[in-house]
Short mmCIF file of all heavy atoms in Angstrom, two decimals:
data_model
loop_
_atom_site.label_atom_id
_atom_site.label_comp_id
_atom_site.label_asym_id
_atom_site.label_seq_id
_atom_site.Cartn_x
_atom_site.Cartn_y
_atom_site.Cartn_z
N ILE A 23 -10.01 -7.24 15.79
CA ILE A 23 -10.12 -6.20 14.77
C ILE A 23 -9.83 -4.83 15.39
O ILE A 23 -9.12 -3.95 14.79
CB ILE A 23 -11.51 -6.24 14.14
CG1 ILE A 23 -11.75 -7.52 13.38
CG2 ILE A 23 -11.75 -4.98 13.27
CD1 ILE A 23 -13.17 -7.71 12.84
N GLU A 24 -10.35 -4.61 16.59
CA GLU A 24 -10.09 -3.25 17.23
C GLU A 24 -8.61 -3.03 17.49
O GLU A 24 -8.07 -1.97 17.21
CB GLU A 24 -10.87 -3.23 18.56
CG GLU A 24 -10.65 -1.96 19.28
CD GLU A 24 -11.34 -1.89 20.62
OE1 GLU A 24 -11.93 -2.89 21.00
OE2 GLU A 24 -11.18 -0.88 21.35
N ILE A 25 -7.94 -4.11 17.94
CA ILE A 25 -6.47 -3.93 18.13
C ILE A 25 -5.77 -3.62 16.85
O ILE A 25 -4.96 -2.72 16.81
CB ILE A 25 -5.93 -5.32 18.71
CG1 ILE A 25 -6.50 -5.55 20.08
CG2 ILE A 25 -4.42 -5.33 18.65
CD1 ILE A 25 -6.12 -6.90 20.72
N ASP A 26 -6.18 -4.31 15.74
CA ASP A 26 -5.51 -3.97 14.45
C ASP A 26 -5.76 -2.53 14.04
O ASP A 26 -4.77 -1.81 13.55
CB ASP A 26 -6.02 -4.95 13.40
CG ASP A 26 -5.52 -6.39 13.54
OD1 ASP A 26 -4.51 -6.65 14.24
OD2 ASP A 26 -6.16 -7.23 12.93
N LEU A 27 -7.03 -2.08 14.16
CA LEU A 27 -7.25 -0.70 13.75
C LEU A 27 -6.64 0.31 14.59
O LEU A 27 -6.15 1.36 14.05
CB LEU A 27 -8.86 -0.53 13.71
CG LEU A 27 -9.62 -1.38 12.68
CD1 LEU A 27 -11.06 -1.18 12.68
CD2 LEU A 27 -9.07 -1.17 11.28
N ARG A 28 -6.60 0.07 15.92
CA ARG A 28 -6.04 1.06 16.82
C ARG A 28 -4.41 1.21 16.50
O ARG A 28 -3.89 2.26 16.59
CB ARG A 28 -6.23 0.70 18.35
CG ARG A 28 -7.66 0.60 18.74
CD ARG A 28 -8.37 1.86 18.82
NE ARG A 28 -9.72 1.80 19.50
CZ ARG A 28 -10.64 2.64 19.35
NH1 ARG A 28 -10.43 3.77 18.65
NH2 ARG A 28 -11.79 2.45 19.91
N GLN A 29 -3.91 0.03 16.31
CA GLN A 29 -2.49 0.07 16.02
C GLN A 29 -2.16 0.74 14.68
O GLN A 29 -1.11 1.38 14.54
CB GLN A 29 -1.90 -1.29 16.12
CG GLN A 29 -1.97 -1.87 17.50
CD GLN A 29 -1.40 -3.36 17.55
OE1 GLN A 29 -1.29 -3.99 16.53
NE2 GLN A 29 -1.07 -3.79 18.71
N MET A 30 -3.05 0.54 13.66
CA MET A 30 -2.92 1.30 12.33
C MET A 30 -2.92 2.76 12.58
O MET A 30 -2.15 3.50 11.97
CB MET A 30 -3.96 0.76 11.41
CG MET A 30 -3.83 -0.58 10.90
SD MET A 30 -5.15 -1.00 9.71
CE MET A 30 -4.91 -2.77 9.57
N MET A 31 -3.87 3.25 13.36
CA MET A 31 -3.99 4.72 13.52
C MET A 31 -2.97 5.26 14.42
O MET A 31 -2.65 6.44 14.34
CB MET A 31 -5.42 4.99 14.12
CG MET A 31 -6.54 4.57 13.21
SD MET A 31 -6.57 5.25 11.56
CE MET A 31 -6.81 7.03 11.99
N ALA A 32 -2.44 4.47 15.33
CA ALA A 32 -1.30 4.87 16.29
C ALA A 32 -1.80 6.16 17.05
O ALA A 32 -0.87 6.96 17.40
CB ALA A 32 -0.10 5.18 15.41
N THR A 33 -3.07 6.36 17.34
CA THR A 33 -3.49 7.48 18.04
C THR A 33 -4.12 7.09 19.49
O THR A 33 -4.11 7.89 20.40
CB THR A 33 -4.60 8.26 17.34
OG1 THR A 33 -5.69 7.41 16.95
CG2 THR A 33 -4.04 8.93 16.14
N ASP A 34 -4.50 5.79 19.52
CA ASP A 34 -5.05 5.33 20.74
C ASP A 34 -4.27 4.12 21.20
O ASP A 34 -3.65 3.41 20.33
CB ASP A 34 -6.46 4.87 20.59
CG ASP A 34 -7.36 6.13 20.31
OD1 ASP A 34 -7.13 7.16 20.85
OD2 ASP A 34 -8.36 5.99 19.56
N GLU A 35 -4.28 3.84 22.38
CA GLU A 35 -3.62 2.58 22.97
C GLU A 35 -4.59 1.40 22.67
O GLU A 35 -5.74 1.45 23.02
CB GLU A 35 -3.38 2.74 24.40
CG GLU A 35 -2.64 1.50 25.02
CD GLU A 35 -2.40 1.69 26.55
OE1 GLU A 35 -2.60 2.76 27.01
OE2 GLU A 35 -1.95 0.75 27.10
N ALA A 36 -4.03 0.45 22.05
CA ALA A 36 -4.85 -0.78 21.70
C ALA A 36 -5.12 -1.56 22.99
O ALA A 36 -4.28 -1.72 23.85
CB ALA A 36 -4.10 -1.66 20.76
N PRO A 37 -6.34 -2.14 23.09
CA PRO A 37 -6.72 -2.94 24.25
C PRO A 37 -6.00 -4.31 24.15
O PRO A 37 -5.46 -4.62 23.07
CB PRO A 37 -8.21 -3.09 24.09
CG PRO A 37 -8.47 -2.94 22.57
CD PRO A 37 -7.50 -2.03 22.06
N ALA A 38 -6.03 -4.92 25.30
CA ALA A 38 -5.38 -6.33 25.33
C ALA A 38 -6.38 -7.39 24.70
O ALA A 38 -7.58 -7.18 24.74
CB ALA A 38 -5.16 -6.71 26.79
N PRO A 39 -5.86 -8.38 24.05
CA PRO A 39 -6.69 -9.43 23.46
C PRO A 39 -7.48 -10.14 24.58
O PRO A 39 -7.08 -10.23 25.69
CB PRO A 39 -5.71 -10.42 22.73
CG PRO A 39 -4.39 -9.60 22.69
CD PRO A 39 -4.45 -8.63 23.81
N LEU A 40 -8.65 -10.71 24.14
CA LEU A 40 -9.41 -11.49 25.08
C LEU A 40 -8.72 -12.85 25.30
O LEU A 40 -8.18 -13.41 24.36
CB LEU A 40 -10.86 -11.70 24.57
CG LEU A 40 -11.72 -10.52 24.54
CD1 LEU A 40 -13.10 -10.92 23.96
CD2 LEU A 40 -11.86 -9.93 25.86
N THR A 41 -8.63 -13.30 26.52
CA THR A 41 -8.02 -14.61 26.85
C THR A 41 -9.07 -15.66 26.92
O THR A 41 -10.16 -15.39 27.26
CB THR A 41 -7.17 -14.40 28.10
OG1 THR A 41 -8.07 -14.07 29.15
CG2 THR A 41 -6.16 -13.43 27.94
N PRO A 42 -8.66 -16.92 26.65
CA PRO A 42 -9.66 -18.02 26.76
C PRO A 42 -10.15 -18.17 28.19
O PRO A 42 -9.40 -17.92 29.16
CB PRO A 42 -8.78 -19.22 26.33
CG PRO A 42 -7.68 -18.68 25.50
CD PRO A 42 -7.36 -17.38 26.12
N ILE A 43 -11.37 -18.54 28.25
CA ILE A 43 -12.06 -18.80 29.57
C ILE A 43 -12.36 -20.30 29.68
O ILE A 43 -13.10 -20.83 28.77
CB ILE A 43 -13.39 -17.97 29.72
CG1 ILE A 43 -13.16 -16.51 29.62
CG2 ILE A 43 -14.07 -18.29 31.05
CD1 ILE A 43 -14.35 -15.69 29.59
N ASP A 44 -11.73 -20.99 30.49
CA ASP A 44 -11.91 -22.51 30.62
C ASP A 44 -11.65 -23.13 29.28
O ASP A 44 -12.38 -23.98 28.81
CB ASP A 44 -13.31 -22.83 31.18
CG ASP A 44 -13.45 -24.20 31.62
OD1 ASP A 44 -12.45 -24.81 31.84
OD2 ASP A 44 -14.64 -24.73 31.71
N LYS A 45 -10.56 -22.64 28.61
CA LYS A 45 -10.07 -23.20 27.35
C LYS A 45 -11.18 -23.18 26.22
O LYS A 45 -11.38 -24.01 25.39
CB LYS A 45 -9.76 -24.64 27.54
CG LYS A 45 -8.53 -24.95 28.50
CD LYS A 45 -8.17 -26.35 28.60
CE LYS A 45 -6.99 -26.50 29.66
NZ LYS A 45 -6.58 -27.87 29.80
N ALA A 46 -11.80 -21.95 26.25
CA ALA A 46 -12.82 -21.64 25.22
C ALA A 46 -12.77 -20.11 24.90
O ALA A 46 -12.54 -19.31 25.80
CB ALA A 46 -14.26 -22.04 25.56
#
């Protein structure tokens, strides 16, 4: 959600998505 909102506002750099940990 944070990535979506940051990219909509185009004022902040969006963070990277969380990656799976041990396939979870």
Side-chain angles (χ1 to χ4, degrees):
I23 295 174
E24 180 184 357
I25 292 172
D26 289 344
L27 295 180
R28 300 289 187 201
Q29 291 177 346
M30 288 179 193
M31 298 302 294
T33 56
D34 294 326
E35 183 178 353
L40 292 180
T41 57
I43 301 174
D44 195 18
K45 299 182 180 179

